[in-house]
């Protein structure tokens, strides 16, 4: 006769948060005490239906289980034992989560049926119920950051009141000296928002364009209502509004969003901009790499379709995005040619996988590119108008010229009749359109962290400035002396 | 099709909560929004197909037909035949599930319906936060402790 075990509980966390852990068929060794090791056989993804996980338990037992169904819409996972050193036969289990709308909590139902050797029914039922399911409930609560009573920290820090924040403010467009230290406040998060204590803030060339007043609609400024620059930062969640998905106070996070305002110590942002950080990714690394790494990801994967043999020309090859592009493209099998402005930068670019480095202080590189590789299939151009003709001359036939930035000034209009001479493609992408959904943002961020962990991209040298010294950081980036990404530390 | 889903946790066993909500004619005894109720044609209130005829406290008359009742699953499904709300093809289910971790109950109340364009939000709010959560709040108060 089949035995049946049912256990259920309520976890004081939003369903997205609990499901993010339980949908990972390979996660148990990170939260369940009885599991010492877990791995997925055959290098399959843990979301691959049919995949098999191999558990080694703390008591030495081994269990192989197969994923039978996985539903993100119903928050349900069914799996069976295919082989085990414990005598559970025909074991099929289902985990189901449901939202408790009253309090934004999660109902977790775990049940199974199985057969046992005669006489051991009761013992094995209790083992499954107590040691696996009930212990699992407690272990997951602890994993989510629970206090002594087993409830995760919620609303323990958030006061509902605004929190004072140090800000770098811009009252007038202009040079780095226009950046002034001021004070503002971060409002309590509304529905769908989180408030973040920021520790590291990424500095991007876009910040400089905004400071110069090149894109006023994106950042209006005045003496009465100063603007605040900055598109990305990393830190930890102070408090979260309802419907802020999987985010809880204390979570280490980073964000990237289309509205500036990151140059500050505390900020309230939409939860859909935010990704949770793996333990291995430091705040500094996240702030240095989130926007730039995701930029490299969409440039190489989506726009450039860079693969074996692609001839890629990277300008500012020793810059924040440049170094990531060099090392990642090299691993994808591309031939990477870079331009830099000094010998010191050439050395760093080479160390990061740039096969051919052209040192030029006056935007002359087309002849060298043609000579070295016979033209570039893909150009990542942050130089702008001063290098306009050189870029076109460096392009191979059917080449793709991607205008990422305009350090020397806005590009004059590009005519279709000009592009036709080389059957060329011209694009002018903005990173925010490539992370337009939270799932897309999470997927791209995950790819960047994985590439870093696997050594596919090397962590570039990071230059750190105090938040109050944002002006110095800008001057440094504009001086073309810096190497690698710059961050502000709050 | 509009879908409303409300769920809560009641601090009493599913058996205990079920005995309070099972009676299809018993809304006035536990739901604060309902003034009176009777079953048409003197049928038993647990006979599938029976129709309850009741008034809300604000005077609205509603007729609902019992479509399914399961003492085994602690669930009850019914459809609106007549109401002042302006909903069509309205089918709702109230379902209880025991929470084994403590003598508690996971209660779900969901509905699907059609309505005039532009009224979706108002009706979702009225049914989800008003009718369903209102009923759960009354059960939570009745069974105390939370």
């Amino acid at each position: 006769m089949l035995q049946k075990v049912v256990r259920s509980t309520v976890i004081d966390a939003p369903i997205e948060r609990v499901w993010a852990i339980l949908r990972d068929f390979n996660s148990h060794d990170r939260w369940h005490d009885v599991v010492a090791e877990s791995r997925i056989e055959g290098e399959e993804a843990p979301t691959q239906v049919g995949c098999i996980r191999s558990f080694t338990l703390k008591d030495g037992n081994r269990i192989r289980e197969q994923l039978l169904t996985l539903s993100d819409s119903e928050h349900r996972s069914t799996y069976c034992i295919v082989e085990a050193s414990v005598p559970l036969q025909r074991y099929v289990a289902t985990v189901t989560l449901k939202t408790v709308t009253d309090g934004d909590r999660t109902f977790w139902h775990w049940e199974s049926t199985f057969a046992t050797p005669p006489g051991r029914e009761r013992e094995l039922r209790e083992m499954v119920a107590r040691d696996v399911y009930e212990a699992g409930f407690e272990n997951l609560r602890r994993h989510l950051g629970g206090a002594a009573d087993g409830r995760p920290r919620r609303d323990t820090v958030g006061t509902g009141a605004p929190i004072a924040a140090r800000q770098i403010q811009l009252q007038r467009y202009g040079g780095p000296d226009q950046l002034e230290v001021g004070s503002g406040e971060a409002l309590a998060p509304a529905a769908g928002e989180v408030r973040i204590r920021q520790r590291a803030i990424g500095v991007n060339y876009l910040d400089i364009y905004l400071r110069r007043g090149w894109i006023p609609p994106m950042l209006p400024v005045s003496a009465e209502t100063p603007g605040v620059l900055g598109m990305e930062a990393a830190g930890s969640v102070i408090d979260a509004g309802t419907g802020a998905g999987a985010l809880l106070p204390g979570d280490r996070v980073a964000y990237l969003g289309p509205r500036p305002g990151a140059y500050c110590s505390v900020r309230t942002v939409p939860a859909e901009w935010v990704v949770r950080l793996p333990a291995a990714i430091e705040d500094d690394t996240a702030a240095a790499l989130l926007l730039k790494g995701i930029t490299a990801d969409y440039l190489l994967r989506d726009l450039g379709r860079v693969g074996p043999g692609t001839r890629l020309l990277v300008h500012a090859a020793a810059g924040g995005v440049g170094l990531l592009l060099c090392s990642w493209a090299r691993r994808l099998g591309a031939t990477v040619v870079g331009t830099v402005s000094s010998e010191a930068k050439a050395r760093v670019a080479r160390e990061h996988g740039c096969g051919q480095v052209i040192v030029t202080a006056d935007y002359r590189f087309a002849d060298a590119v043609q000579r070295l590789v016979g033209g570039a299939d893909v150009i990542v151009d942050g130089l702008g108008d001063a290098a306009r003709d050189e870029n076109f001359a460096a392009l191979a036939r059917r080449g793709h010229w991607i205008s990422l930035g305009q350090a020397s000034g806005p590009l004059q209009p590009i005519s279709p009749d000009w592009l036709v001479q080389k059957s060329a493609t011209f694009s002018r992408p903005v990173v925010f359109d490539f992370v337009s959904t939270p799932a897309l943002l999470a997927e791209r961020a995950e790819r960047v962290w994985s590439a870093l962990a696997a050594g596919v991209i090397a962590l570039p040298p990071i230059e750190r400035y105090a938040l109050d010294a944002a002006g110095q950081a800008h001057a440094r980036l504009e001086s073309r002396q810096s190497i690698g990404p710059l961050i502000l530390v709050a | 099709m509009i879908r409303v889903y409300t769920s809560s946790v009641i601090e009493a066993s599913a058996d205990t909560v079920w005995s309070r909500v099972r009676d299809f004619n018993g809304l006035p005894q536990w739901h604060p929004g309902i003034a009176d109720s009777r079953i048409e044609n003197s049928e038993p209130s647990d006979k599938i197909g029976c129709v309850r005829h009741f008034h809300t406290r604000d005077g609205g008359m509603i007729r609902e037909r019992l479509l399914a009742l399961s003492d085994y699953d602690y669930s009850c499904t019914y459809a609106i035949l007549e109401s002042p709300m302006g909903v069509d093809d309205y089918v709702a289910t109230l379902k209880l599930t025991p929470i084994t971790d403590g003598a508690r109950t996971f209660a779900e109340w969901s509905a699907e319906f059609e309505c005039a364009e532009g009224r979706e939000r108002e009706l979702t709010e009225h049914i989800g936060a008003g009718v369903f959560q209102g009923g759960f709040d009354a059960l939570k108060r009745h069974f105390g402790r939370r």
Side-chain angles (χ1 to χ4, degrees), chain B residues 33-100:
Chain B
I34 310 302
D36 61 60
S37 176
R38 67 179 177 86
I39 301 289
E40 295 182 356
N41 302 322
S42 305
E43 291 191 296
S45 66
D46 53 2
K47 181 181 172 194
I48 300 307
C50 76
V51 175
R52 66 181 173 195
H53 184 129
F54 61 96
H55 292 88
T56 53
R57 293 234 175 251
D58 54 17
M61 187 275 282
I62 300 180
R63 295 174 65 234
E64 291 176 337
R65 183 189 299 281
L66 180 64
L67 300 182
L69 182 72
S70 169
D71 286 324
Y72 177 72
D73 289 324
Y74 303 111
S75 95
C76 164
T77 300
Y78 58 93
I80 288 183
L81 303 178
E82 204 179 330
S83 91
M85 291 195 293
V87 293
D88 292 316
D89 303 330
Y90 179 105
V91 176
T93 297
L94 173 62
K95 178 174 166 55
L96 308 180
T97 307
I99 299 174
T100 65

Side-chain angles (χ1 to χ4, degrees), chain A residues 225-238:
Chain A
T225 49
V228 178
L229 298 169
M231 317 310 295
E232 62 172 338
S236 55
V237 173
I238 298 172

Side-chain angles (χ1 to χ4, degrees), chain A residues 8 89-90 150 156 162-163 216 236 238 279 335-336 352 360 368 374 391 420 463 486:
Chain A
S8 57
Q89 300 148 3
R90 290 187 282 148
T156 49
I163 295 179
S236 55
I238 298 172
T335 301
V336 185
H352 282 75
T360 168
N391 270 318
V420 78
E463 289 193 27
L486 281 69

Side-chain angles (χ1 to χ4, degrees), chain A residues 19-27 40 43-53 67-72 76-77:
Chain A
W19 183 240
I21 298 165
L22 294 184
R23 79 185 288 275
D24 181 351
F25 199 53
N26 195 30
S27 70
I40 301 288
E43 312 242 316
E44 284 192 296
T47 45
Q48 173 67 53
V49 171
C51 76
I52 292 180
R53 68 182 172 201
L67 181 63
L68 299 178
T69 65
L70 181 68
S71 168
D72 280 339
R76 178 175 296 142
S77 157

Side-chain angles (χ1 to χ4, degrees), chain A residues 325-369:
Chain A
L325 283 171
C326 288
S327 54
W328 213 338
R330 169 69 168 271
R331 289 296 286 260
L332 292 170
T335 301
V336 185
V337 180
T339 69
V340 295
S341 58
S342 72
E343 274 303 333
K345 290 184 176 183
R347 209 162 41 241
V348 179
R350 272 186 213 104
E351 286 165 14
H352 282 75
C354 190
Q356 307 277 0
V357 187
I358 302 166
V359 181
T360 168
D362 58 358
Y363 305 120
R364 300 296 293 269
F365 51 80
D367 287 347
V369 173

